[in-house]
Amino acid sequence: MFRIESEKDLLRAFRSRDRKYVELPKGTRLPLFVRDYLAWVDPYGVRVFLVFVAPGGKTPTGIAFRRDQQGDPTLAPKMCDWCMTPTGAEVGLLTTDVDSKRRVGVIVCLDLRCGERLEALADRSGRSVLDDKARLIERMARFAHEALGLEPGAEE
């Protein structure tokens, strides 16, 4: 669990290049207490924002993704690379800029509600969701590190 005190603290979690796109959902009240991670879709459905604290980390890391145009729906992936849940969730490509010339992407649930899907699956199977959620956060941190070169959760 982590806490975000102010909008300034939330924006600080994102790279400077992404801060201009961050728009909190209407009605968001700060401070925020975040159990595992925070994810939301912008009002236009174009961008998806993710804020998490990496395992062993101290500060939140934010990633601003863009929902790229989807091609042929029959060719769409069926499983999220992060939560690995076999659900009817819309799964597709979310991308983010590495720099002005390169973009990277990941095939995930397009609303990033992976944690909720893991909880529902665990509830149906009568087991704890804690290990699954820990793996989910690890996958987020791995993407941030390997694809974007970030050191998630490191003190600034």
Side-chain angles (χ1 to χ4, degrees), residues 13-34:
F14 290 89
R15 297 176 298 163
S16 58
R17 70 179 306 115
D18 294 332
R19 290 178 186 148
K20 62 187 170 212
Y21 301 115
V22 177
E23 182 177 343
L24 282 171
K26 286 190 188 297
T28 301
R29 297 180 61 170
L30 296 161
L32 292 173
F33 292 91
V34 182

Side-chain angles (χ1 to χ4, degrees), residues 15 96-98 102-106 141-150:
R15 297 176 298 163
T96 188
D97 294 327
V98 174
R102 289 187 313 138
R103 296 182 64 70
V104 293
V106 62
R142 188 176 321 120
F143 175 82
H145 177 70
E146 293 175 0
L148 299 175
L150 301 176

Side-chain angles (χ1 to χ4, degrees), residues 51-95:
V51 180
F52 66 96
V53 172
K58 294 184 179 10
T59 61
T61 298
I63 302 174
F65 288 103
R66 207 165 60 199
R67 288 183 177 184
D68 285 348
Q69 295 296 323
Q70 302 302 308
D72 182 349
T74 61
L75 301 176
K78 304 296 182 219
M79 188 175 292
C80 172
D81 286 348
W82 284 354
C83 67
M84 312 272 182
T85 57
T87 66
E90 189 177 356
V91 174
L93 180 66
L94 291 183
T95 64

Side-chain angles (χ1 to χ4, degrees), residues 23-26 38-50 65 67 94 109-113:
E23 182 177 343
L24 282 171
K26 286 190 188 297
L38 178 64
W40 71 97
V41 179
D42 77 357
Y44 308 105
V46 176
R47 295 196 183 275
V48 181
F49 303 99
L50 171 67
F65 288 103
R67 288 183 177 184
L94 291 183
C109 296
L110 291 175
D111 58 5
L112 291 181
R113 292 175 56 192

Side-chain angles (χ1 to χ4, degrees), residues 52-58 134-142 152-153:
F52 66 96
V53 172
K58 294 184 179 10
R135 282 190 290 276
L136 172 64
I137 302 296
E138 287 170 5
R139 289 179 183 118
M140 292 172 178
R142 188 176 321 120

